[in-house]
Amino acid sequence: MATTAPTRERYRDDPSVLTVLKSPRLLTREALAGLVVALALIPEAISFSIIAGVDPRVGLFSSFVMAVTIAFVGGRPAMISAATGAVALVIAPIMRDHGFDYFIATVLLAGVMQIVLALLGVARLMRFIPRSVMVGFVNALAILVLIAQLPHLFGVPWLVYPLVVVGVAVIVLIPRLQKVVPSPLIAVALLTSAVLVFGWSVPDVGDQGELPRSLPELFVPQVPPTLETLSIIAPTAFAMALVGLMESLLTAKLVDDITDTRSNKTRESWGQGVANLLSGVFGGMGGCAVIGQTMINVKVSGARSRVSTFLAGVFVLVLVVALGDVVALIPMAALVAVMIMVVVSTFDWHSIRPSTLKRMPVSETLVMVVTVVVVVITHNLAIGVIVGVITAMVLFARRVAHFQTVTRTVTDAAAHYAVEGELFWASSNDLTTQFSYTEDPAHVVIDLSRSHIWDASTVAALDAIETKYARLGKTVELRGLNAASTGMRERLTGQLGAE
């Protein structure tokens, strides 16, 4: 007799770290993918540090610590976590108004909050995010990644443009010839060599900020352990925790879809908290999953294990500390080319095809568009997803409300009303208007066998109907209520105030 596998088997890494380490082919793939991700992380970490108002080394060390930590404790293999723009935007006011010590204290508290939220089961809320919101999240993310590249394409020497074009061409064409070495890595090496050989003057990584020369050190924030301190950092820490978890869980779900595997979202949630805690301990700015670098790792480079995530973090540290002078020479045009291809591969082009738009319900398309617009305007993925979910809920409630119908038949003895559909606040508010109170005979039968009572609003509506008939000296008989509806009505009827 077949037995069901234990729940933990659903989340078994495939391939496992041991499998990768035993296979030169897999290890080479994971290592090269990690190197490409590290090269893409460095300029972004510097940029996010500037957004947060801290030294570039804060973002770089945070990316190193988070990537290495999440490789061990995260629930989604091959996903990259590092310093991010969304977290930088949320936490920047603390640095501006209260200084670096409060900044790090906020990161530490956010990590603790993420662990608590994970233990409370926040990951289960992912099931309430509709597909249309997920598509909007992916498309908005692609647009934000593209917008982030624009500063590197305006007000720059004309040589940047042909370099970007060549870089994109290399990334697209090389996989047709070989797939051992990731094409983004070849593009970066080729363009860097060309710039150095011909002595072209174009913006490079070194122009983004000074790279650190030493290893990260433990940092203990000097803040007074008082309620006043808590009142300063707690609201920002909570916002950072929510934004980080939402981006990480949505990114994990996206990687699940791409790789046709399942990941442990609860483990990913507390893993993000642990990673942020360690990031703060080493003076980092914290962060969450980064969609762009994750797509480079999973979709462009083909990585599938924790090894690539771990090596991405290690390579960040090695490149900026030991090989900082070499990394500083990489032209930004090469990294822009990589990110442009990330945009192309991330955006859900199927969602905007005319044939898809014709088949898709208007409400689904509207939810996707609202999610994209809000994310692009606010530059905050969490806000966009929340607004998208609320929009989907409202449209769903509005659509379901119209499914309720009331059919009236009259005999000599009684008036019979057959109510069909789901009864909740959106549909039951109009229920009281669909009865002919004065025209009906003395006995009224309401058949609810094809409906279901979902909330107090419906119970209140039924109470109001009975009250209206009672004032006219008529009796009401409710029939066909299922067990759940009967239980709710018995608990609430007559307890909801005067009608």
Side-chain angles (χ1 to χ4, degrees):
M1 181 176 177
T3 58
T4 303
T7 302
R8 63 178 180 273
E9 292 297 321
R10 293 165 49 198
Y11 304 117
R12 185 172 54 192
D13 293 358
D14 185 21
S16 67
V17 172
L18 186 60
T19 300
V20 172
L21 295 179
K22 288 181 177 180
S23 170
R25 180 181 63 84
L26 293 179
L27 182 57
T28 299
R29 181 190 71 185
E30 300 291 312
L32 292 176
L35 179 57
V36 175
V37 169
L39 291 173
L41 277 175
I42 291 170
E44 288 209 354
I46 296 173
S47 299
F48 298 150
S49 299
I50 295 172
I51 291 174
V54 296
D55 190 275
R57 72 187 65 196
V58 176
L60 290 166
F61 287 158
S62 183
S63 295
F64 155 66
V65 173
M66 292 205 66
V68 169
T69 302
I70 211 67
F72 290 96
V73 300
R76 172 63 260 178
M79 192 170 77
I80 305 298
S81 291
T84 60
V87 168
L89 287 170
V90 170
I91 202 171
I94 290 291
M95 180 63 191
R96 182 186 64 239
D97 299 335
H98 301 283
F100 190 67
D101 288 282
Y102 281 85
F103 180 91
I104 297 300
T106 303
V107 174
L108 294 171
L109 182 58
V112 172
M113 287 180 171
Q114 287 181 326
I115 295 174
V116 172
L117 288 171
L119 297 176
L120 292 176
V122 69
R124 289 194 292 270
L125 296 178
M126 283 295 297
R127 71 184 67 179
F128 297 108
I129 298 181
R131 180 187 177 279
S132 52
V133 174
M134 190 66 190
V135 172
F137 164 80
V138 170
N139 290 347
L141 215 39
I143 294 172
L144 288 184
V145 172
L146 180 61
I147 291 174
Q149 310 314 309
L150 296 182
H152 305 299
L153 295 174
F154 289 98
V156 295
W158 69 269
L159 272 172
V160 168
Y161 304 109
L163 286 174
V164 171
V165 172
V166 170
V168 170
V170 169
I171 295 172
V172 172
L173 298 176
I174 286 296
R176 300 180 183 181
L177 304 176
Q178 64 85 42
K179 294 185 178 180
V180 176
V181 181
S183 58
L185 183 58
I186 295 176
V188 170
L190 182 63
L191 295 186
T192 302
S193 299
V195 168
L196 294 177
V197 169
F198 294 104
W200 293 330
S201 179
V202 293
D204 54 33
V205 172
D207 296 328
Q208 305 302 303
E210 183 181 356
L211 300 178
R213 301 288 182 179
S214 60
L215 296 174
E217 299 176 351
L218 293 176
F219 182 86
V220 179
Q222 301 300 311
V223 295
T226 62
L227 289 177
E228 182 182 0
T229 299
L230 186 63
S231 67
I232 292 173
I233 67 175
T236 301
F238 186 64
M240 175 182 168
L242 287 181
V243 168
L245 283 181
M246 187 171 294
E247 287 203 35
S248 299
L249 293 176
L250 286 171
T251 303
K253 187 176 186 301
L254 178 60
V255 177
D256 288 353
D257 293 339
I258 292 173
T259 60
D260 291 325
T261 58
R262 301 185 68 176
S263 58
N264 190 329
K265 304 301 188 300
T266 298
R267 177 177 173 179
E268 184 61 43
S269 298
W270 64 256
Q272 290 290 329
V274 173
N276 273 300
L277 266 177
L278 289 178
S279 174
V281 166
F282 286 97
M285 61 183 283
C288 60
V290 279
I291 182 67
Q293 281 70 19
T294 297
M295 290 300 100
I296 291 175
N297 197 45
V298 174
K299 206 165 186 180
V300 179
S301 301
R304 291 293 182 272
S305 80
R306 299 175 183 275
V307 175
S308 60
T309 306
F310 173 78
L311 290 179
V314 172
F315 282 138
V316 166
L317 186 65
V318 172
L319 289 172
V320 299
V321 175
L323 301 173
D325 293 336
V326 176
V327 173
L329 299 175
I330 297 175
M332 287 303 300
L335 299 178
V336 169
V338 173
M339 298 311 293
I340 287 176
M341 292 310 302
V342 169
V343 170
V344 173
S345 62
T346 301
F347 195 90
D348 188 347
W349 298 101
H350 180 268
S351 66
I352 61 172
R353 289 178 184 171
S355 58
T356 302
L357 295 176
K358 287 181 181 179
R359 290 192 300 266
M360 194 69 64
V362 175
S363 59
E364 298 280 322
T365 302
L366 180 60
V367 169
M368 180 194 72
V369 171
V370 167
T371 304
V372 171
V373 170
V374 174
V375 170
V376 172
I377 291 176
T378 63
H379 278 59
N380 190 313
L381 293 163
I383 293 176
V385 170
I386 291 172
V387 172
V389 170
I390 292 174
T391 303
M393 291 170 58
V394 171
L395 292 176
F396 174 76
R398 182 175 179 273
R399 186 166 65 249
V400 172
H402 295 301
F403 291 162
Q404 174 255 109
T405 59
V406 178
T407 305
R408 177 178 181 261
T409 57
V410 181
T411 64
D412 293 336
H416 293 262
Y417 288 88
V419 180
E420 184 173 351
E422 305 301 316
L423 298 177
F424 64 112
W425 56 268
S427 59
S428 60
N429 285 339
D430 293 332
L431 188 62
T432 56
T433 66
Q434 302 187 49
F435 291 81
S436 303
Y437 300 99
T438 57
E439 300 173 8
D440 286 339
H443 186 60
V444 178
V445 177
I446 303 177
D447 183 3
L448 297 165
S449 58
R450 294 187 177 183
S451 61
H452 186 96
I453 296 175
W454 286 104
D455 60 7
S457 295
T458 303
V459 176
L462 292 174
D463 285 353
I465 292 169
E466 289 184 302
T467 301
K468 289 177 184 291
Y469 277 115
R471 288 171 181 168
L472 296 172
K474 302 176 182 181
T475 60
V476 176
E477 178 186 355
L478 299 182
R479 292 180 182 174
L481 282 174
N482 58 36
S485 298
T486 299
M488 177 171 288
R489 183 168 184 273
E490 289 176 349
R491 287 195 309 273
L492 298 178
T493 188
Q495 306 297 319
L496 300 173
E499 300 297 337

